[in-house]
Amino acid sequence: MIDEPSALPVAATHDAEIDQLFGVDSPLGHAVGAFRPRQSQTEMAKAIAHAISNQSTLIAEAGTGTGKTFAYLVPALLWGGKVIVSTGTKNLQDQLFLRDIPSVRKALNAPVSVALLKGRANYVCHFHLERTLQNGRLTSRDDVGHLREISRFMKTTSSGDKAELSKVPETALIWNLVTSTRDTCMGAECQYYQDCFVMKARKEAQQADVVVVNHHLFFADVALKDTGVAELLPSANTIIFDEAHQLPDTATLFFGETISTSQVLELCRDVLAEGLSHARDGADWAGTVTPVERAARDLRLAFPQDIVRLAVNQIAPSSIFFPALETLKEQLDNMIAVLQKQAERADTIEQCRVRALELAMRLDAWNKPKTEEVIIGQESVLWVEAYSTSLQLHQTPLSIAPIFNKQREGAPRTWIFTSATLAVKNDFNHYSAQMGLWDEPAKSWPSPFQYGEQGLLYVPTSLPQPNSPEYTDAVIDAALPVIEAAGGGAFLLCTTIRAVNRAAERLREEFERRKLPFPLMVQGEAGRTELLDRFRAAGNAVLIGSQSFWEGVDVRGDALSVVIIDKLPFSPPDDPVLAARIEALERKGMNGFMHHQLPAAIINLKQGAGRLIRDERDKGVLMICDPRLISKPYGKRIWQSLPPFKRTRELAVVQEFFATIDTADASAE
């Protein structure tokens, strides 16, 4: 539960000041080169200032191009008191901290201090770095080179933030060995505690007026009390969630419970290393960890398929999964008994004992009925997820609303939830219900873009049903003439990785056969940032991606003039959490599809569609290939929630649209 913040004086209306600040000859215009006055931005800033004055909640949907970042930063920096801004991604977090907040602070001449706080996995740990340098367990040449770079970096960095070290990729495996986790942190017992970058970042955050975090960090903290946010919340007056449409999924992840066989294997690795280092004569360490490792692997092998998602009640009672789970618990208990006897030999062995006990406790609790759920009205679904080398046991709440509301109880403070996609045709009920914000005010500000002139929505004719085996091939056949007419500059957004791979295969063949000069970029062939940089630089490329390219991607100008979406982004029907949520809604007499699946798909589709028009000069075609947009009764509700593009089903109209742009460009030259 969040404690009471220091009270802010309830201010009179700030409307006149905001009119001045967002006006034609305003300080913002001088400080920010691309700034131009927009009525929707000014109105949004006034609504946020009003919420801050009244310490109330506001759900604020702002269409693409509104300038929502400045609309919330100006009132927050001037009147928000202690402010926490939580973003959807670490990239957006860095952009706010390094670019947007300094620009606004300078324009307003606001004497506020700002801090950036990330999860502990983003900071190099002195203890784990030294241990990795000493024990030399590295297997690849890359790891050795990366470790040398990290070691050099530690001599010059003041933050320890791995984002500052571009020479080592963010995905490099070495980071796992030189950062700490909640389980492996020594805390105040650590010899480097005084120099710890995590502690330093948390201390700076406590003292700052404005703290920038991300949603993962915020909810990890609410659930685990391990990120430093818990220490910030009691004094916070204003909490702003940007990209707030991501909150339901992020909160679900952290308010649930997950145990994986990877955690067990990681623990075994550490037990063996610490046992041999500090108590070689105390036990047969290899003989202690091997049965636990075998039991963890056998649990994964209970499901022969590569990828599995099953609710517990879908697993046959005769399945070897249940005895394998019991065997793992027994073997883990045996290892704990050994650790118990040797724990006093070294702090690191004691730490392994504590981790093992916690894992055993969570494994034990996983498949037991939860009586307290009934008391707080919080139901959850138990399910398993198998990957090629690991198995995860999940307990996921069906609704985060009661838990999140419990966090919002207590002293009044301002809560702002903002994104370009929170409503379905100006109806916020789906989002409000997910977050437990039922009676809170919600407002929408339209985009300043002229969608009717800047864009075209094209739904091709004669496509098969989306579940047919030849569907992706039919999408490519329909997309090729559009890509040609546009001269490249296309995103192909798919709903599955399988579709990404098939589309890539087909486009490679077709580009080669037709001698088309468009560079092809495919998700997975390089990191997202690198692919986007290459895409922008090429100017006529085609990029194929799945979920991670549907949002948070900003490509302006001629480099992107077509966004092709293969299917309406409905969640897979075999998802155990979705199935349980639909069942719960239907028990209440509601329609699971209309009340949950459809609104969620519309919000996701709005994100994908939002990639196309990014500023006043952009022009382009949004091509949605799914015939259900036209043939199903719910199709109208979907396209009415999209930007108000002109609509067509004729390829000739699309080709004419691009020909007109080319003519206009030529005459402009």
Side-chain angles (χ1 to χ4, degrees):
M1 186 118 110
I2 297 166
D3 300 329
E4 186 152 343
S6 50
L8 276 180
V10 176
T13 176
H14 296 294
D15 288 6
E17 286 167 90
I18 285 172
D19 280 331
Q20 195 180 349
L21 286 166
F22 286 91
V24 177
D25 195 27
S26 74
L28 283 173
H30 296 300
V32 184
F35 178 81
R36 57 179 67 84
R38 296 186 180 111
Q39 190 185 346
S40 52
Q41 184 182 45
T42 307
E43 286 173 8
M44 182 180 173
K46 286 177 183 176
I48 289 171
H50 188 263
I52 287 172
S53 294
N54 295 300
Q55 295 186 317
S56 57
T57 295
L58 176 66
I59 304 169
E61 183 183 68
T64 309
T66 304
K68 66 180 164 64
T69 309
F70 283 15
Y72 68 69
L73 282 179
V74 169
L77 295 193
L78 288 176
W79 309 297
K82 174 90 173 182
V83 180
I84 297 175
V85 182
S86 181
T87 70
T89 61
K90 280 185 285 192
N91 286 350
L92 186 54
Q93 210 183 339
D94 286 334
Q95 180 188 312
L96 269 167
F97 179 71
L98 298 170
R99 195 179 76 193
D100 297 340
I101 295 177
S103 299
V104 174
R105 181 172 62 177
K106 184 181 168 193
L108 301 176
N109 202 12
V112 293
S113 53
V114 187
L116 181 68
L117 185 61
K118 297 182 180 179
R120 61 164 74 247
N122 292 278
Y123 301 99
V124 183
C125 166
H126 292 83
F127 173 78
H128 286 284
L129 173 63
E130 186 184 310
R131 197 169 77 156
T132 304
L133 286 165
Q134 282 172 355
N135 66 22
R137 280 188 291 175
L138 303 180
T139 49
S140 78
R141 185 179 295 173
D142 276 354
D143 282 349
V144 174
H146 290 156
L147 185 61
R148 197 178 300 121
E149 291 294 348
I150 293 167
S151 197
R152 281 196 199 117
F153 169 67
M154 284 293 269
K155 294 182 174 74
T156 57
T157 179
S158 59
S159 72
D161 183 348
K162 68 181 188 184
E164 292 176 11
L165 182 57
S166 54
K167 287 181 182 173
V168 180
E170 195 182 342
T171 50
L173 293 173
I174 188 70
W175 289 120
N176 297 331
L177 295 174
V178 298
T179 55
S180 70
T181 65
R182 180 169 172 248
D183 291 335
T184 63
C185 173
M186 301 287 289
E189 304 296 313
C190 180
Q191 69 203 76
Y192 298 106
Y193 187 71
Q194 295 304 317
D195 303 316
C196 175
F197 292 122
V198 174
M199 290 303 138
K200 188 180 169 194
R202 290 181 182 182
K203 195 171 177 185
E204 282 174 8
Q206 279 179 308
Q207 292 166 354
D209 301 309
V210 179
V211 185
V212 184
V213 301
N214 63 56
H215 302 337
H216 277 254
L217 190 72
F218 188 94
F219 284 108
D221 196 276
V222 167
L224 304 172
K225 299 284 179 285
D226 177 53
T227 67
V229 176
E231 296 138 21
L232 300 176
L233 284 172
S235 59
N237 306 101
T238 303
I239 297 170
I240 299 169
F241 293 107
D242 197 344
E243 300 294 338
H245 64 278
Q246 296 176 4
L247 292 183
D249 286 344
T250 309
T252 298
L253 184 71
F254 286 106
F255 289 148
E257 182 82 69
T258 297
I259 315 142
S260 76
T261 54
S262 301
Q263 285 172 293
V264 177
L265 294 172
E266 203 175 278
L267 172 67
C268 289
R269 187 194 71 193
D270 290 348
V271 167
L272 183 62
E274 299 308 329
L276 292 174
S277 294
H278 303 290
R280 186 177 284 272
D281 57 341
D284 172 6
W285 292 103
T288 300
V289 302
T290 303
V292 186
E293 290 175 329
R294 191 183 305 118
R297 292 196 174 99
D298 286 348
L299 185 65
R300 165 62 194 92
L301 294 172
F303 303 99
Q305 310 93 311
D306 240 16
I307 294 180
V308 179
R309 292 161 71 90
L310 289 172
V312 162
N313 57 15
Q314 292 176 305
I315 303 172
S318 58
S319 166
I320 58 167
F321 166 76
F322 295 106
L325 182 59
E326 290 309 313
T327 303
L328 177 58
K329 289 179 190 174
E330 285 164 23
Q331 297 298 353
L332 194 54
D333 285 343
N334 293 343
M335 186 167 82
I336 290 167
V338 174
L339 288 167
Q340 203 99 32
K341 288 177 185 164
Q342 304 298 323
E344 60 191 32
R345 302 277 293 270
D347 287 342
T348 47
I349 297 178
E350 164 60 14
Q351 190 188 42
C352 287
R353 183 190 72 85
V354 172
R355 280 167 64 191
L357 273 174
E358 191 177 323
L359 264 179
M361 209 162 61
R362 286 162 61 198
L363 274 174
D364 206 41
W366 180 72
N367 202 9
K368 287 190 175 164
K370 310 281 189 298
T371 49
E372 72 273 13
E373 284 180 7
V374 181
I375 299 165
I376 63 166
Q378 177 207 331
E379 293 179 82
S380 60
V381 56
L382 293 174
W383 56 291
V384 300
E385 188 168 24
Y387 297 96
S388 51
T389 58
S390 70
L391 182 78
Q392 295 187 340
L393 309 177
H394 301 279
Q395 179 205 331
T396 304
L398 290 188
S399 168
I400 59 150
I403 323 170
F404 187 55
N405 265 336
K406 201 166 166 47
Q407 299 304 325
R408 292 178 65 239
E409 283 172 3
R413 50 164 57 79
T414 305
W415 297 81
I416 307 292
F417 300 83
T418 185
S419 166
T421 55
L422 295 174
V424 175
K425 221 181 119 187
N426 286 329
D427 178 352
F428 289 88
N429 282 335
H430 175 66
Y431 187 76
S432 299
Q434 281 184 300
M435 296 300 296
L437 303 170
W438 293 284
D439 300 318
E440 302 294 3
K443 293 185 181 178
S444 190
W445 289 273
S447 166
F449 301 155
Q450 303 300 310
Y451 285 112
E453 293 161 27
Q454 290 179 251
L456 187 66
L457 169 60
Y458 169 48
V459 182
T461 53
S462 310
L463 265 103
Q465 286 307 304
N467 57 359
S468 70
E470 66 277 9
Y471 184 76
T472 301
D473 286 298
V475 166
I476 296 303
D477 292 338
L480 272 162
V482 177
I483 294 169
E484 283 192 76
F491 271 5
L492 172 52
L493 302 178
C494 301
T495 51
T496 63
I497 296 292
R498 183 182 298 166
V500 167
N501 295 336
R502 177 61 188 150
E505 193 182 326
R506 273 293 312 280
L507 281 181
R508 263 196 198 97
E509 290 167 8
E510 295 291 345
F511 286 0
E512 201 171 314
R513 191 168 65 80
R514 301 178 188 211
K515 304 282 186 285
L516 294 172
F518 311 133
L520 187 64
M521 291 153 199
V522 184
Q523 180 178 332
E525 290 180 353
R528 187 172 97 144
T529 308
E530 189 187 329
L531 282 176
L532 285 168
D533 287 345
R534 279 166 33 194
F535 180 85
R536 287 187 190 97
N540 68 336
V542 175
L543 188 150
I544 310 175
S546 68
Q547 194 57 52
S548 63
F549 285 89
W550 282 65
E551 57 180 273
V553 172
D554 189 12
V555 178
R556 298 171 189 225
D558 298 338
L560 178 63
S561 51
V562 186
V563 170
I564 303 160
I565 291 175
D566 72 337
K567 288 183 191 178
L568 298 175
F570 289 111
S571 297
D574 61 348
D575 181 286
V577 180
L578 177 65
R581 282 180 174 158
I582 289 170
E583 194 185 316
L585 284 169
E586 290 177 350
R587 282 201 304 269
K588 294 175 186 168
M590 295 162 84
N591 180 311
F593 179 78
M594 294 304 287
H595 286 102
H596 187 78
Q597 282 172 284
L598 183 61
I602 289 173
I603 285 171
N604 206 349
L605 186 66
K606 281 172 73 175
Q607 277 293 329
R611 298 314 99 215
L612 182 64
I613 305 294
R614 303 301 297 173
D615 72 24
E616 283 91 343
R617 293 176 299 281
D618 281 355
K619 291 200 166 190
V621 170
L622 171 64
M623 176 177 175
I624 302 179
C625 299
D626 198 319
R628 291 173 294 184
L629 195 63
I630 305 297
S631 64
K632 295 291 184 186
Y634 57 75
K636 187 176 180 185
R637 192 169 169 210
I638 296 176
W639 60 251
Q640 284 180 337
S641 296
L642 292 171
F645 297 117
K646 281 181 185 159
R647 299 189 299 276
T648 187
R649 303 208 68 195
E650 304 297 325
L651 175 62
V653 175
V654 175
Q655 290 166 326
E656 174 63 25
F657 178 87
F658 284 118
T660 308
I661 294 174
D662 290 344
T663 308
D665 287 349
S667 59
E669 285 167 17

